[in-house]
Amino acid sequence: MTTQGAVTTREFVLSDHDRAVALWSEIDSVEICEGDSREEVAEYLKRNPGLSRVAEADGKIVGAVMCGHDGRRGWIYHLAVAQEYRGRGVGKLLLDDCVRGLREAGLKRAIILVERENAAGHEFWLREGWEEIDCAIPMTKEL
Ligand SMILES: CC(C)(COP(=O)(O)OP(=O)(O)OC[C@H]1O[C@@H](n2cnc3c(N)ncnc32)[C@H](O)[C@@H]1OP(=O)(O)O)[C@@H](O)C(=O)NCCC(=O)NCCS
């Protein structure tokens, strides 16, 4: 658990799913997609114990992030803070928890994908010391 002012972070547990999805759904730059159903999140949390986190303040969830790894790279998804709690270090608190957890799990590098039009999100990651992968083109395929 990490505390800053009135904000506390803790492990994301399955009973947080609905409230986290509600938070993400309010935010344009977070897309609810495959992997976000209750069953899939349950599996993800089981495979990556303790790495995904929520931030709580005033009795509600004000931030959430999914974090896991495949044994080689860490991956961070859906980092989001409720609008009225932004700019208070909550995003950094959640990200620091993820990075600490990945390090403790033995990971040396993590990857995130930022939507091209998400200029504010991009600034946050740059500010936190993340680098663009100039030599790579992100690619995907529906399986
Ligand atoms: C991105 C986001 C998680 C940041 O959360 P936050 O709690 O407001 O960020 P913090 O207060 O912890 O800021 C950490 C640092 O990033 C900087 N930062 C945060 N948002 C920024 C912005 N829009 N532009 C420039 N810098 C920014 C802060 O100034 C701070 O720097 P400092 O430590 O030098 O003061 C939040 O704005 C959000 O939920 N955005 C919508 C979802 C999103 O885009 N998520 C990223 C998906 S890739």
Side-chain angles (χ1 to χ4, degrees):
M1 189 173 85
T2 315
T3 305
Q4 180 171 299
V7 180
T8 298
T9 63
R10 60 162 175 80
E11 179 176 353
F12 186 133
V13 294
L14 190 55
S15 54
D16 297 318
H17 175 263
D18 290 354
R19 287 183 297 161
V21 169
L23 171 72
W24 291 326
S25 302
E26 285 174 10
I27 298 173
D28 286 346
S29 46
V30 176
E31 189 194 349
I32 302 295
C33 54
E34 64 277 349
D36 290 330
S37 71
R38 193 178 179 82
E39 296 68 31
E40 288 164 312
V41 167
E43 193 56 34
Y44 187 75
L45 296 177
K46 203 162 71 185
R47 283 176 59 116
N48 298 284
L51 292 178
S52 295
R53 312 287 296 175
V54 293
E56 286 181 312
D58 307 320
K60 55 189 178 182
I61 288 182
V62 299
V65 60
M66 304 289 291
C67 176
H69 69 85
D70 55 19
R72 181 177 169 89
R73 297 286 181 256
W75 286 90
I76 298 173
Y77 307 92
H78 287 6
L79 172 65
V81 174
Q83 185 73 54
E84 61 273 33
Y85 288 86
R86 289 188 195 163
R88 300 190 197 177
V90 179
K92 181 178 169 51
L93 211 55
L94 287 167
L95 178 57
D96 287 351
D97 282 2
C98 293
V99 168
R100 191 178 316 114
L102 289 170
R103 281 199 188 116
E104 285 171 6
L107 278 291
K108 303 255 183 320
R109 183 165 290 280
I111 302 177
I112 47 126
L113 296 173
V114 184
E115 277 183 5
R116 220 170 276 283
E117 57 270 28
N118 185 2
H122 186 210
E123 283 302 322
F124 168 83
W125 291 102
L126 290 173
R127 187 76 205 155
E128 292 303 313
W130 291 62
E131 297 168 351
E132 290 168 25
I133 309 174
D134 288 331
C135 60
I137 301 172
M139 297 179 75
T140 185
K141 187 174 202 262
E142 196 170 330
L143 303 179

